[in-house]
């Protein structure tokens, strides 16, 4: 019963907002500020009454009224509320467009941090089901904060871009994103983060099947890695160079690789192991067979060995006599 009352209250507020937008002989300009306030109140009523379609529509109308009133910051706020309602509806088709629109309003109002945050919130909603759309929002967020010369915040968004690309198996673009992230951390002198990203870059290059690029990445950024990371990467690259799957598996099972971001840990788990181009010879079967007959021994074998021993003794004695004669 309370839900229906709230819905009825929302409908009354909509009538009041529409009345504020009408012009008369003495009222030449619509009262956008009052209308925006009434639409916002109506949206709240519809949300309580769980009428989400009407709630979303009211937030969009409130945003348009704020735009007409040249209050772009509040217009963007209403768009963000509409995005949250889309999540409640389970219909995310309008989320990317609303997020880009809100970002534009924030930028025009001179609030780049709020613009990037709006894109980030929308991308988090889209990422589980629509990672491609989330990727575009993260890319724009990174561009917004890069313009404002904020390398740390830009590195956070680029990190999310790289992880989504790895998840989508777009390894070429993922390698470029990781290199960009390393460059951003280099500006802020975050050596530890650069070391961890070196491991991620090596894994991505190996996933691309390019061991030369993996070795080049290690040579370029390996000095930023900790000792365990250096040891593991050296073992991993050597195993791929020598085509040794057992050593490669052992290196990929190291503890710090398993505790990396989930996308990189899964990449290491699913990374194809090197296979030797020349197959190894099978091991000889040296097992003793039960109830086997004894090996054949010739009866003349002992006599032959004695005769050979005598001949070797005679030759040795003759060599000693020759040596004594030469000394004399």
């Amino acid at each position: 019963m309370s839900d229906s009352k709230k819905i009825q209250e929302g409908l009354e507020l909509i009538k009041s907002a529409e009345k504020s937008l009408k012009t008369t002989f003495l009222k030449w300009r619509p009262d956008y500020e009052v209308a925006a306030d009434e639409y916002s109140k109506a949206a709240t009523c519809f949300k309580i009454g769980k009428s989400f379609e009407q709630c979303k529509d009211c937030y969009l109308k409130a945003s348009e009224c704020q735009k007409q009133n040249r209050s772009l910051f509040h217009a963007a706020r209403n768009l963000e509320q509409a995005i949250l309602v889309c999540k409640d509806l389970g219909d995310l088709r309008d989320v990317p467009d609303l997020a880009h629109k809100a970002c534009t309003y924030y930028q025009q109002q001179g609030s780049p941090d709020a613009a990037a945050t709006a894109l980030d919130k929308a991308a988090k909603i889209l990422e589980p089901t629509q990672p491609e759309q989330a990727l575009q929002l993260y890319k724009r967020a990174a561009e917004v904060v890069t313009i404002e010369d904020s390398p740390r915040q830009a590195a956070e968004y680029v990190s999310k871009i790289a992880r989504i690309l790895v998840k989508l198996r777009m390894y070429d673009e993922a390698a470029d994103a990781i290199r960009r992230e390393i460059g951003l951390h280099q500006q802020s002198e975050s050596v530890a983060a650069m070391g961890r990203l070196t491991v991620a870059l090596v894994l991505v290059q190996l996933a691309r099947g390019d061991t030369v690029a993996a070795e080049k990445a290690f040579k370029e950024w390996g000095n930023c890695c900790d000792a365990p990371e250096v040891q593991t990467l050296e073992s991993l690259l050597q195993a791929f160079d020598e085509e040794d799957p057992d050593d490669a598996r052992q290196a990929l099972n190291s503890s710090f690789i398993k505790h990396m971001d989930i996308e990189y840990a899964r990449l290491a788990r699913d990374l194809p192991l090197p296979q030797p181009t020349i197959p190894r010879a099978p091991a000889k079967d040296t097992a003793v067979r039960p109830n086997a007959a004894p090996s054949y021994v010739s009866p003349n074998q002992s006599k032959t060995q004695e005769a050979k021993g005598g001949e070797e003794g005679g030759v040795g004695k003759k060599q000693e006599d020759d040596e004594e004669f030469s000394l004399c």
Side-chain angles (χ1 to χ4, degrees), residues 84-117:
L84 295 177
V85 176
C86 289
K87 181 181 178 182
D88 295 331
L89 279 169
D91 186 0
L92 305 180
R93 289 174 296 177
D94 295 334
V95 170
D97 292 336
L98 293 175
H100 284 297
K101 197 172 182 180
C103 175
T104 301
Y105 287 170
Y106 279 129
Q107 285 183 295
Q108 291 176 354
Q109 192 68 24
S111 302
D113 291 339
T117 302

PDB file of all heavy atoms in Angstrom, residues 84-117:
ATOM      1  N   LEU A  84      22.507   4.261 -11.995  1.00  0.00           N
ATOM      2  CA  LEU A  84      22.257   3.327 -10.890  1.00  0.00           C
ATOM      3  C   LEU A  84      20.880   2.670 -11.016  1.00  0.00           C
ATOM      4  O   LEU A  84      20.707   1.493 -10.693  1.00  0.00           O
ATOM      5  CB  LEU A  84      22.373   4.062  -9.556  1.00  0.00           C
ATOM      6  CG  LEU A  84      23.766   4.600  -9.205  1.00  0.00           C
ATOM      7  CD1 LEU A  84      23.730   5.371  -7.893  1.00  0.00           C
ATOM      8  CD2 LEU A  84      24.776   3.466  -9.126  1.00  0.00           C
ATOM      9  N   VAL A  85      19.916   3.426 -11.513  1.00  0.00           N
ATOM     10  CA  VAL A  85      18.579   2.861 -11.710  1.00  0.00           C
ATOM     11  C   VAL A  85      18.600   1.813 -12.821  1.00  0.00           C
ATOM     12  O   VAL A  85      17.906   0.790 -12.755  1.00  0.00           O
ATOM     13  CB  VAL A  85      17.564   3.977 -12.026  1.00  0.00           C
ATOM     14  CG1 VAL A  85      16.191   3.377 -12.327  1.00  0.00           C
ATOM     15  CG2 VAL A  85      17.458   4.942 -10.849  1.00  0.00           C
ATOM     16  N   CYS A  86      19.420   2.057 -13.853  1.00  0.00           N
ATOM     17  CA  CYS A  86      19.577   1.045 -14.918  1.00  0.00           C
ATOM     18  C   CYS A  86      20.080  -0.266 -14.336  1.00  0.00           C
ATOM     19  O   CYS A  86      19.667  -1.359 -14.769  1.00  0.00           O
ATOM     20  CB  CYS A  86      20.533   1.556 -15.988  1.00  0.00           C
ATOM     21  SG  CYS A  86      19.885   2.888 -17.017  1.00  0.00           S
ATOM     22  N   LYS A  87      20.975  -0.174 -13.367  1.00  0.00           N
ATOM     23  CA  LYS A  87      21.476  -1.379 -12.703  1.00  0.00           C
ATOM     24  C   LYS A  87      20.357  -2.095 -11.965  1.00  0.00           C
ATOM     25  O   LYS A  87      20.247  -3.327 -12.002  1.00  0.00           O
ATOM     26  CB  LYS A  87      22.599  -1.005 -11.743  1.00  0.00           C
ATOM     27  CG  LYS A  87      23.209  -2.193 -11.028  1.00  0.00           C
ATOM     28  CD  LYS A  87      24.301  -1.754 -10.063  1.00  0.00           C
ATOM     29  CE  LYS A  87      24.873  -2.957  -9.308  1.00  0.00           C
ATOM     30  NZ  LYS A  87      25.909  -2.524  -8.323  1.00  0.00           N
ATOM     31  N   ASP A  88      19.483  -1.321 -11.278  1.00  0.00           N
ATOM     32  CA  ASP A  88      18.345  -1.930 -10.582  1.00  0.00           C
ATOM     33  C   ASP A  88      17.372  -2.570 -11.556  1.00  0.00           C
ATOM     34  O   ASP A  88      16.767  -3.610 -11.254  1.00  0.00           O
ATOM     35  CB  ASP A  88      17.619  -0.871  -9.746  1.00  0.00           C
ATOM     36  CG  ASP A  88      18.485  -0.328  -8.617  1.00  0.00           C
ATOM     37  OD1 ASP A  88      19.362  -1.082  -8.132  1.00  0.00           O
ATOM     38  OD2 ASP A  88      18.301   0.850  -8.226  1.00  0.00           O
ATOM     39  N   LEU A  89      17.246  -1.976 -12.729  1.00  0.00           N
ATOM     40  CA  LEU A  89      16.356  -2.541 -13.748  1.00  0.00           C
ATOM     41  C   LEU A  89      16.929  -3.791 -14.388  1.00  0.00           C
ATOM     42  O   LEU A  89      16.197  -4.612 -14.948  1.00  0.00           O
ATOM     43  CB  LEU A  89      16.098  -1.497 -14.838  1.00  0.00           C
ATOM     44  CG  LEU A  89      15.038  -0.433 -14.565  1.00  0.00           C
ATOM     45  CD1 LEU A  89      15.096   0.660 -15.618  1.00  0.00           C
ATOM     46  CD2 LEU A  89      13.648  -1.060 -14.542  1.00  0.00           C
ATOM     47  N   GLY A  90      18.264  -3.927 -14.351  1.00  0.00           N
ATOM     48  CA  GLY A  90      18.906  -5.030 -15.044  1.00  0.00           C
ATOM     49  C   GLY A  90      19.039  -4.786 -16.527  1.00  0.00           C
ATOM     50  O   GLY A  90      19.293  -5.711 -17.308  1.00  0.00           O
ATOM     51  N   ASP A  91      18.890  -3.552 -16.947  1.00  0.00           N
ATOM     52  CA  ASP A  91      19.005  -3.166 -18.358  1.00  0.00           C
ATOM     53  C   ASP A  91      20.145  -2.158 -18.465  1.00  0.00           C
ATOM     54  O   ASP A  91      19.995  -0.981 -18.109  1.00  0.00           O
ATOM     55  CB  ASP A  91      17.692  -2.551 -18.837  1.00  0.00           C
ATOM     56  CG  ASP A  91      17.705  -2.255 -20.335  1.00  0.00           C
ATOM     57  OD1 ASP A  91      18.736  -2.531 -20.994  1.00  0.00           O
ATOM     58  OD2 ASP A  91      16.694  -1.726 -20.840  1.00  0.00           O
ATOM     59  N   LEU A  92      21.287  -2.592 -18.990  1.00  0.00           N
ATOM     60  CA  LEU A  92      22.487  -1.761 -19.022  1.00  0.00           C
ATOM     61  C   LEU A  92      22.767  -1.167 -20.399  1.00  0.00           C
ATOM     62  O   LEU A  92      23.853  -0.645 -20.632  1.00  0.00           O
ATOM     63  CB  LEU A  92      23.702  -2.601 -18.583  1.00  0.00           C
ATOM     64  CG  LEU A  92      23.592  -3.300 -17.227  1.00  0.00           C
ATOM     65  CD1 LEU A  92      24.858  -4.091 -16.929  1.00  0.00           C
ATOM     66  CD2 LEU A  92      23.314  -2.298 -16.119  1.00  0.00           C
ATOM     67  N   ARG A  93      21.805  -1.208 -21.278  1.00  0.00           N
ATOM     68  CA  ARG A  93      22.049  -0.745 -22.648  1.00  0.00           C
ATOM     69  C   ARG A  93      22.352   0.748 -22.711  1.00  0.00           C
ATOM     70  O   ARG A  93      23.143   1.192 -23.539  1.00  0.00           O
ATOM     71  CB  ARG A  93      20.840  -1.069 -23.536  1.00  0.00           C
ATOM     72  CG  ARG A  93      20.666  -2.543 -23.843  1.00  0.00           C
ATOM     73  CD  ARG A  93      19.382  -2.790 -24.606  1.00  0.00           C
ATOM     74  NE  ARG A  93      18.201  -2.438 -23.806  1.00  0.00           N
ATOM     75  CZ  ARG A  93      16.951  -2.509 -24.259  1.00  0.00           C
ATOM     76  NH1 ARG A  93      16.716  -2.896 -25.506  1.00  0.00           N
ATOM     77  NH2 ARG A  93      15.933  -2.183 -23.466  1.00  0.00           N
ATOM     78  N   ASP A  94      21.726   1.529 -21.840  1.00  0.00           N
ATOM     79  CA  ASP A  94      21.914   2.982 -21.881  1.00  0.00           C
ATOM     80  C   ASP A  94      23.081   3.461 -21.032  1.00  0.00           C
ATOM     81  O   ASP A  94      23.399   4.666 -21.058  1.00  0.00           O
ATOM     82  CB  ASP A  94      20.628   3.686 -21.408  1.00  0.00           C
ATOM     83  CG  ASP A  94      19.460   3.446 -22.346  1.00  0.00           C
ATOM     84  OD1 ASP A  94      19.710   3.183 -23.546  1.00  0.00           O
ATOM     85  OD2 ASP A  94      18.300   3.508 -21.885  1.00  0.00           O
ATOM     86  N   VAL A  95      23.708   2.574 -20.280  1.00  0.00           N
ATOM     87  CA  VAL A  95      24.753   2.992 -19.335  1.00  0.00           C
ATOM     88  C   VAL A  95      25.945   3.653 -20.027  1.00  0.00           C
ATOM     89  O   VAL A  95      26.406   4.719 -19.585  1.00  0.00           O
ATOM     90  CB  VAL A  95      25.193   1.794 -18.463  1.00  0.00           C
ATOM     91  CG1 VAL A  95      26.436   2.144 -17.645  1.00  0.00           C
ATOM     92  CG2 VAL A  95      24.062   1.384 -17.537  1.00  0.00           C
ATOM     93  N   PRO A  96      26.514   3.086 -21.100  1.00  0.00           N
ATOM     94  CA  PRO A  96      27.672   3.742 -21.731  1.00  0.00           C
ATOM     95  C   PRO A  96      27.384   5.160 -22.201  1.00  0.00           C
ATOM     96  O   PRO A  96      28.174   6.086 -21.957  1.00  0.00           O
ATOM     97  CB  PRO A  96      28.013   2.812 -22.900  1.00  0.00           C
ATOM     98  CG  PRO A  96      27.449   1.492 -22.515  1.00  0.00           C
ATOM     99  CD  PRO A  96      26.211   1.797 -21.760  1.00  0.00           C
ATOM    100  N   ASP A  97      26.233   5.362 -22.871  1.00  0.00           N
ATOM    101  CA  ASP A  97      25.908   6.702 -23.376  1.00  0.00           C
ATOM    102  C   ASP A  97      25.691   7.683 -22.230  1.00  0.00           C
ATOM    103  O   ASP A  97      26.140   8.844 -22.295  1.00  0.00           O
ATOM    104  CB  ASP A  97      24.653   6.637 -24.255  1.00  0.00           C
ATOM    105  CG  ASP A  97      24.897   5.880 -25.548  1.00  0.00           C
ATOM    106  OD1 ASP A  97      26.070   5.803 -25.973  1.00  0.00           O
ATOM    107  OD2 ASP A  97      23.919   5.366 -26.131  1.00  0.00           O
ATOM    108  N   LEU A  98      25.008   7.244 -21.187  1.00  0.00           N
ATOM    109  CA  LEU A  98      24.770   8.136 -20.044  1.00  0.00           C
ATOM    110  C   LEU A  98      26.081   8.495 -19.353  1.00  0.00           C
ATOM    111  O   LEU A  98      26.269   9.644 -18.919  1.00  0.00           O
ATOM    112  CB  LEU A  98      23.812   7.466 -19.053  1.00  0.00           C
ATOM    113  CG  LEU A  98      22.368   7.240 -19.536  1.00  0.00           C
ATOM    114  CD1 LEU A  98      21.574   6.461 -18.501  1.00  0.00           C
ATOM    115  CD2 LEU A  98      21.687   8.572 -19.836  1.00  0.00           C
ATOM    116  N   ALA A  99      26.998   7.529 -19.256  1.00  0.00           N
ATOM    117  CA  ALA A  99      28.288   7.786 -18.604  1.00  0.00           C
ATOM    118  C   ALA A  99      29.114   8.789 -19.408  1.00  0.00           C
ATOM    119  O   ALA A  99      29.713   9.713 -18.845  1.00  0.00           O
ATOM    120  CB  ALA A  99      29.054   6.479 -18.429  1.00  0.00           C
ATOM    121  N   HIS A 100      29.160   8.613 -20.725  1.00  0.00           N
ATOM    122  CA  HIS A 100      29.905   9.562 -21.561  1.00  0.00           C
ATOM    123  C   HIS A 100      29.291  10.962 -21.484  1.00  0.00           C
ATOM    124  O   HIS A 100      30.016  11.975 -21.469  1.00  0.00           O
ATOM    125  CB  HIS A 100      29.919   9.079 -23.010  1.00  0.00           C
ATOM    126  CG  HIS A 100      30.864   7.945 -23.272  1.00  0.00           C
ATOM    127  ND1 HIS A 100      32.234   8.066 -23.119  1.00  0.00           N
ATOM    128  CD2 HIS A 100      30.640   6.667 -23.681  1.00  0.00           C
ATOM    129  CE1 HIS A 100      32.817   6.908 -23.427  1.00  0.00           C
ATOM    130  NE2 HIS A 100      31.876   6.045 -23.764  1.00  0.00           N
ATOM    131  N   LYS A 101      27.969  11.015 -21.445  1.00  0.00           N
ATOM    132  CA  LYS A 101      27.285  12.307 -21.366  1.00  0.00           C
ATOM    133  C   LYS A 101      27.600  12.995 -20.032  1.00  0.00           C
ATOM    134  O   LYS A 101      27.876  14.203 -19.991  1.00  0.00           O
ATOM    135  CB  LYS A 101      25.778  12.085 -21.517  1.00  0.00           C
ATOM    136  CG  LYS A 101      24.985  13.333 -21.846  1.00  0.00           C
ATOM    137  CD  LYS A 101      23.539  12.945 -22.152  1.00  0.00           C
ATOM    138  CE  LYS A 101      22.720  14.166 -22.538  1.00  0.00           C
ATOM    139  NZ  LYS A 101      21.306  13.791 -22.840  1.00  0.00           N
ATOM    140  N   ALA A 102      27.555  12.238 -18.935  1.00  0.00           N
ATOM    141  CA  ALA A 102      27.871  12.800 -17.626  1.00  0.00           C
ATOM    142  C   ALA A 102      29.315  13.285 -17.576  1.00  0.00           C
ATOM    143  O   ALA A 102      29.619  14.349 -17.017  1.00  0.00           O
ATOM    144  CB  ALA A 102      27.625  11.747 -16.536  1.00  0.00           C
ATOM    145  N   CYS A 103      30.215  12.514 -18.175  1.00  0.00           N
ATOM    146  CA  CYS A 103      31.626  12.911 -18.220  1.00  0.00           C
ATOM    147  C   CYS A 103      31.796  14.240 -18.954  1.00  0.00           C
ATOM    148  O   CYS A 103      32.537  15.125 -18.502  1.00  0.00           O
ATOM    149  CB  CYS A 103      32.448  11.814 -18.892  1.00  0.00           C
ATOM    150  SG  CYS A 103      34.186  12.232 -19.132  1.00  0.00           S
ATOM    151  N   THR A 104      31.089  14.388 -20.071  1.00  0.00           N
ATOM    152  CA  THR A 104      31.185  15.630 -20.835  1.00  0.00           C
ATOM    153  C   THR A 104      30.687  16.816 -20.018  1.00  0.00           C
ATOM    154  O   THR A 104      31.302  17.899 -20.012  1.00  0.00           O
ATOM    155  CB  THR A 104      30.367  15.506 -22.127  1.00  0.00           C
ATOM    156  OG1 THR A 104      30.879  14.408 -22.902  1.00  0.00           O
ATOM    157  CG2 THR A 104      30.453  16.776 -22.956  1.00  0.00           C
ATOM    158  N   TYR A 105      29.571  16.631 -19.306  1.00  0.00           N
ATOM    159  CA  TYR A 105      29.035  17.718 -18.482  1.00  0.00           C
ATOM    160  C   TYR A 105      30.027  18.114 -17.386  1.00  0.00           C
ATOM    161  O   TYR A 105      30.247  19.307 -17.135  1.00  0.00           O
ATOM    162  CB  TYR A 105      27.712  17.294 -17.850  1.00  0.00           C
ATOM    163  CG  TYR A 105      26.549  17.229 -18.806  1.00  0.00           C
ATOM    164  CD1 TYR A 105      25.331  16.656 -18.425  1.00  0.00           C
ATOM    165  CD2 TYR A 105      26.645  17.735 -20.103  1.00  0.00           C
ATOM    166  CE1 TYR A 105      24.257  16.593 -19.293  1.00  0.00           C
ATOM    167  CE2 TYR A 105      25.568  17.672 -20.983  1.00  0.00           C
ATOM    168  CZ  TYR A 105      24.391  17.090 -20.570  1.00  0.00           C
ATOM    169  OH  TYR A 105      23.329  17.025 -21.440  1.00  0.00           O
ATOM    170  N   TYR A 106      30.620  17.120 -16.739  1.00  0.00           N
ATOM    171  CA  TYR A 106      31.589  17.420 -15.674  1.00  0.00           C
ATOM    172  C   TYR A 106      32.796  18.170 -16.226  1.00  0.00           C
ATOM    173  O   TYR A 106      33.307  19.105 -15.602  1.00  0.00           O
ATOM    174  CB  TYR A 106      32.039  16.134 -14.998  1.00  0.00           C
ATOM    175  CG  TYR A 106      31.085  15.595 -13.958  1.00  0.00           C
ATOM    176  CD1 TYR A 106      30.666  14.259 -13.998  1.00  0.00           C
ATOM    177  CD2 TYR A 106      30.624  16.392 -12.926  1.00  0.00           C
ATOM    178  CE1 TYR A 106      29.799  13.753 -13.028  1.00  0.00           C
ATOM    179  CE2 TYR A 106      29.754  15.892 -11.964  1.00  0.00           C
ATOM    180  CZ  TYR A 106      29.341  14.579 -12.029  1.00  0.00           C
ATOM    181  OH  TYR A 106      28.489  14.086 -11.069  1.00  0.00           O
ATOM    182  N   GLN A 107      33.276  17.741 -17.395  1.00  0.00           N
ATOM    183  CA  GLN A 107      34.429  18.411 -17.989  1.00  0.00           C
ATOM    184  C   GLN A 107      34.101  19.857 -18.363  1.00  0.00           C
ATOM    185  O   GLN A 107      34.914  20.763 -18.143  1.00  0.00           O
ATOM    186  CB  GLN A 107      34.902  17.643 -19.228  1.00  0.00           C
ATOM    187  CG  GLN A 107      35.659  16.356 -18.906  1.00  0.00           C
ATOM    188  CD  GLN A 107      36.167  15.676 -20.167  1.00  0.00           C
ATOM    189  OE1 GLN A 107      35.393  15.225 -21.003  1.00  0.00           O
ATOM    190  NE2 GLN A 107      37.479  15.598 -20.305  1.00  0.00           N
ATOM    191  N   GLN A 108      32.911  20.072 -18.911  1.00  0.00           N
ATOM    192  CA  GLN A 108      32.515  21.430 -19.273  1.00  0.00           C
ATOM    193  C   GLN A 108      32.350  22.311 -18.037  1.00  0.00           C
ATOM    194  O   GLN A 108      32.564  23.521 -18.107  1.00  0.00           O
ATOM    195  CB  GLN A 108      31.215  21.393 -20.075  1.00  0.00           C
ATOM    196  CG  GLN A 108      31.374  20.776 -21.457  1.00  0.00           C
ATOM    197  CD  GLN A 108      30.056  20.655 -22.203  1.00  0.00           C
ATOM    198  OE1 GLN A 108      28.989  20.926 -21.643  1.00  0.00           O
ATOM    199  NE2 GLN A 108      30.113  20.245 -23.462  1.00  0.00           N
ATOM    200  N   GLN A 109      32.001  21.680 -16.931  1.00  0.00           N
ATOM    201  CA  GLN A 109      31.853  22.419 -15.684  1.00  0.00           C
ATOM    202  C   GLN A 109      33.197  22.631 -14.987  1.00  0.00           C
ATOM    203  O   GLN A 109      33.281  23.377 -14.027  1.00  0.00           O
ATOM    204  CB  GLN A 109      30.891  21.667 -14.751  1.00  0.00           C
ATOM    205  CG  GLN A 109      30.422  22.440 -13.539  1.00  0.00           C
ATOM    206  CD  GLN A 109      29.507  23.599 -13.892  1.00  0.00           C
ATOM    207  OE1 GLN A 109      28.881  23.592 -14.940  1.00  0.00           O
ATOM    208  NE2 GLN A 109      29.425  24.595 -13.018  1.00  0.00           N
ATOM    209  N   GLY A 110      34.253  21.953 -15.476  1.00  0.00           N
ATOM    210  CA  GLY A 110      35.568  22.109 -14.874  1.00  0.00           C
ATOM    211  C   GLY A 110      35.827  21.181 -13.721  1.00  0.00           C
ATOM    212  O   GLY A 110      36.552  21.539 -12.777  1.00  0.00           O
ATOM    213  N   SER A 111      35.260  19.946 -13.779  1.00  0.00           N
ATOM    214  CA  SER A 111      35.453  18.959 -12.708  1.00  0.00           C
ATOM    215  C   SER A 111      35.970  17.657 -13.321  1.00  0.00           C
ATOM    216  O   SER A 111      35.213  16.681 -13.461  1.00  0.00           O
ATOM    217  CB  SER A 111      34.141  18.716 -11.953  1.00  0.00           C
ATOM    218  OG  SER A 111      33.634  19.910 -11.413  1.00  0.00           O
ATOM    219  N   PRO A 112      37.257  17.598 -13.691  1.00  0.00           N
ATOM    220  CA  PRO A 112      37.782  16.389 -14.340  1.00  0.00           C
ATOM    221  C   PRO A 112      37.797  15.169 -13.426  1.00  0.00           C
ATOM    222  O   PRO A 112      37.595  14.044 -13.895  1.00  0.00           O
ATOM    223  CB  PRO A 112      39.203  16.798 -14.745  1.00  0.00           C
ATOM    224  CG  PRO A 112      39.549  17.919 -13.829  1.00  0.00           C
ATOM    225  CD  PRO A 112      38.275  18.647 -13.563  1.00  0.00           C
ATOM    226  N   ASP A 113      38.041  15.376 -12.134  1.00  0.00           N
ATOM    227  CA  ASP A 113      38.041  14.228 -11.219  1.00  0.00           C
ATOM    228  C   ASP A 113      36.662  13.580 -11.144  1.00  0.00           C
ATOM    229  O   ASP A 113      36.535  12.350 -11.155  1.00  0.00           O
ATOM    230  CB  ASP A 113      38.486  14.678  -9.825  1.00  0.00           C
ATOM    231  CG  ASP A 113      39.949  15.070  -9.785  1.00  0.00           C
ATOM    232  OD1 ASP A 113      40.708  14.632 -10.687  1.00  0.00           O
ATOM    233  OD2 ASP A 113      40.351  15.807  -8.866  1.00  0.00           O
ATOM    234  N   ALA A 114      35.628  14.419 -11.059  1.00  0.00           N
ATOM    235  CA  ALA A 114      34.259  13.886 -11.041  1.00  0.00           C
ATOM    236  C   ALA A 114      33.929  13.199 -12.367  1.00  0.00           C
ATOM    237  O   ALA A 114      33.218  12.177 -12.388  1.00  0.00           O
ATOM    238  CB  ALA A 114      33.268  15.012 -10.761  1.00  0.00           C
ATOM    239  N   ALA A 115      34.459  13.715 -13.473  1.00  0.00           N
ATOM    240  CA  ALA A 115      34.221  13.097 -14.785  1.00  0.00           C
ATOM    241  C   ALA A 115      34.822  11.693 -14.841  1.00  0.00           C
ATOM    242  O   ALA A 115      34.169  10.736 -15.286  1.00  0.00           O
ATOM    243  CB  ALA A 115      34.817  13.976 -15.877  1.00  0.00           C
ATOM    244  N   ALA A 116      36.061  11.562 -14.389  1.00  0.00           N
ATOM    245  CA  ALA A 116      36.717  10.255 -14.394  1.00  0.00           C
ATOM    246  C   ALA A 116      36.032   9.292 -13.436  1.00  0.00           C
ATOM    247  O   ALA A 116      35.873   8.097 -13.739  1.00  0.00           O
ATOM    248  CB  ALA A 116      38.189  10.414 -14.021  1.00  0.00           C
ATOM    249  N   THR A 117      35.582   9.796 -12.283  1.00  0.00           N
ATOM    250  CA  THR A 117      34.902   8.941 -11.308  1.00  0.00           C
ATOM    251  C   THR A 117      33.586   8.416 -11.860  1.00  0.00           C
ATOM    252  O   THR A 117      33.225   7.247 -11.639  1.00  0.00           O
ATOM    253  CB  THR A 117      34.663   9.717 -10.011  1.00  0.00           C
ATOM    254  OG1 THR A 117      35.912  10.187  -9.491  1.00  0.00           O
ATOM    255  CG2 THR A 117      33.993   8.832  -8.968  1.00  0.00           C
TER     256      THR A 117
END
